[in-house]
Amino acid sequence: MASKFSSLSTISLFLMLFFSLSLADSIPIFNTPETLCNSTPHPSFCKSSLPYNKRGTIHDYAKISISNSLTNARSFLSLVLHYLNLPSTSYESTVLALEDCLFLAQLNIDFLSYAFETTNISNDNNLPGSITFDLLTLFSATLTNLETCLEGLQSSASASNILNSLSAPLSNGTQYCSVSLALFLHAWAPNTKEGRLLTERNDTFPNMEVGARKSLPLQTHKSIIGRKLLQAFTDGVSVRKMAVVNPYGTGDFATITDAVNAAPNNTASSDGYFVIYVVAGVYNEYVSIPKYKKYLMMIGDGINQTIIAGNRSVVDGWTTFNSATFAAVGQGFVAVNITFQNTAGAIKQQAVAVRNGADLSAFYNCSFEGYQDTLYTHSLRQFYRNCEIYGTIDYIFGNAVVVFQNCKIYTRLPLNGQFNTVTAHGRTDPNQNTGTSIQNCSILAAEDLASSNGTTKSYLGRPWKEYSRTVVMQSFIDSLIDPSGWAPWSGDFALATLYYAEFDNTGPGSDPTNRVTWPGYHLINATDAANFTVSNFTLGDFWLPATGVPYFGGLL
């Protein structure tokens, strides 16, 4: 059965580095739920959900657990539809929160259906390493989706009665998916190295970047509009078709949304990218790249030239999830030379410029501008290169497997009495493969913060969720960052379970002398830092070359 998602290869070392769960033996070992469930985050729930008196292999029980998770996801979708269709469900904030849940529940059914079909496809219980890593990422995302649904309901005061009714199903769904993730790791962690790198670093020229190319910017002269205009970036990238967005009437479409709608549905990476060139201008529209618009590439004329702007916010009744000016879900999405803005301002609290839940997605030479919650790296595998990110509170947040490389991260001046946090990572389960890795970036004060009186405290991050994981390495940290480095969320919440680490940073804000002494904070060495590089953390060597986005796979 062909992979519905990516056809990546993987290496056994990756999972062994990241997870402490033991590998299943090649010879089937029969177990009972009593022994298997003790190694999951929810042993009691695990035991109650599996056939207690039936002995089986770890693969047998993992398959049963995945089936249970899928059944639960379908039931939850029906429940959400029930509440959406009730005449009493009329408050807009409640409807918006339920619509988020509906969208996320449908994604979970997609992910779990694929996992169920894939793990049941053969009798020998062997999965290619590529599929194993895909499924690990998808299981991690199902937990994120359930948590996001819960957060939206909690943020809506009018949804309190519905929240009471959905809390138990959400809790059950989370436990089902958590158990499935744990058992899957036990059963299918790869034990062989497969294939080879699609593009390998050249040992003769160790400083050469994989996929290196000149920085754009693209020209806009009318005489070369078309394929030649994009050749500076797309040379070497498989392109199936190109469309031009120009609000002045000389392109194929007047709006970005119209161009997205015209892209083919459910294409594969081998089909090539559908490229949308967005000419310079300000586009006041809310753009969504849906799950069935795969391998779409959007290229603008440059930062502050092609601008996509919106102003939705939590204060104005939107959930954080659907406040985004631009939202991407379709696998393989690539954006180049575009500025994304949420102009709601600091007074409007959470207001997202970009929400990204697109697996195998990349942003290159892009700018993300907002205040609180600017860039929502929601889920799945992501990469950001040569980008600029502006914000105040938790302005890089989410629960993706994400690497930022060669980016400039600008902290703005918040409201009076507020402090700044660059990151807020949202890992809720110790077995999720998620985390935020910041490599060879510059963490700086934006102009308004730099020119203020200097009393605002700024931190590298704080633990939004219990297993928050963020690594800052080989980066320049300016003096805006408080000597303690990191801020708590509330009391001692997550201070022992988080994983925050620094490695080989420079600049006046990088001095580790007065850093926090939490159990979860670490100063790491090169061996540990290598786990959070593009090659090891996202397995980017197997998918980034096709995007045309330059990167380096290891440490500098």
Side-chain angles (χ1 to χ4, degrees), residues 447-500:
E447 185 176 351
D448 57 352
L449 180 62
S451 61
S452 67
N453 59 18
T455 60
T456 300
K457 288 185 176 292
S458 298
Y459 303 90
L460 295 172
R462 60 176 180 163
W464 182 28
K465 303 295 179 183
E466 188 174 3
Y467 296 96
S468 181
R469 180 160 62 177
T470 302
V471 176
V472 181
M473 58 187 186
Q474 300 182 314
S475 293
F476 176 84
I477 304 175
D478 213 343
S479 57
L480 75 154
I481 296 300
D482 188 81
S484 61
W486 306 82
W489 185 271
S490 178
D492 63 356
F493 169 74
L495 302 188
T497 52
L498 60 79
Y499 184 90
Y500 286 168

Side-chain angles (χ1 to χ4, degrees), residues 5 84 116-117 127 141-142 193 207 226 237 258 320 353 387 427 442:
F5 295 87
L84 271 172
F116 178 75
E117 293 167 6
L127 289 176
T142 62
K193 181 175 180 178
N207 295 321
V237 175
D258 286 343
T320 302
C387 290
R427 189 167 64 140
S442 295

Side-chain angles (χ1 to χ4, degrees), residues 93 96-97 100 104 147-156 286 312-327 342 348-356 372-378 393-395 397-398 424 464 489:
S93 62
L96 289 172
D100 288 352
L104 294 162
E147 183 71 12
T148 304
C149 168
L150 177 62
E151 291 161 359
L153 292 169
Q154 290 173 333
S155 69
S156 172
Y286 296 93
R312 291 173 177 170
S313 69
V314 167
V315 167
D316 287 339
W318 301 91
T319 63
T320 302
F321 187 79
N322 59 37
S323 70
T325 300
F326 189 98
N342 190 310
K348 292 300 181 75
Q349 299 177 27
Q350 295 96 329
V352 175
V354 168
R355 186 191 81 235
N356 187 11
Q372 183 171 352
D373 290 4
T374 302
L375 177 54
Y376 195 172
T377 57
H378 182 260
I393 300 170
D394 306 338
Y395 62 97
F397 77 111
W464 182 28
W489 185 271

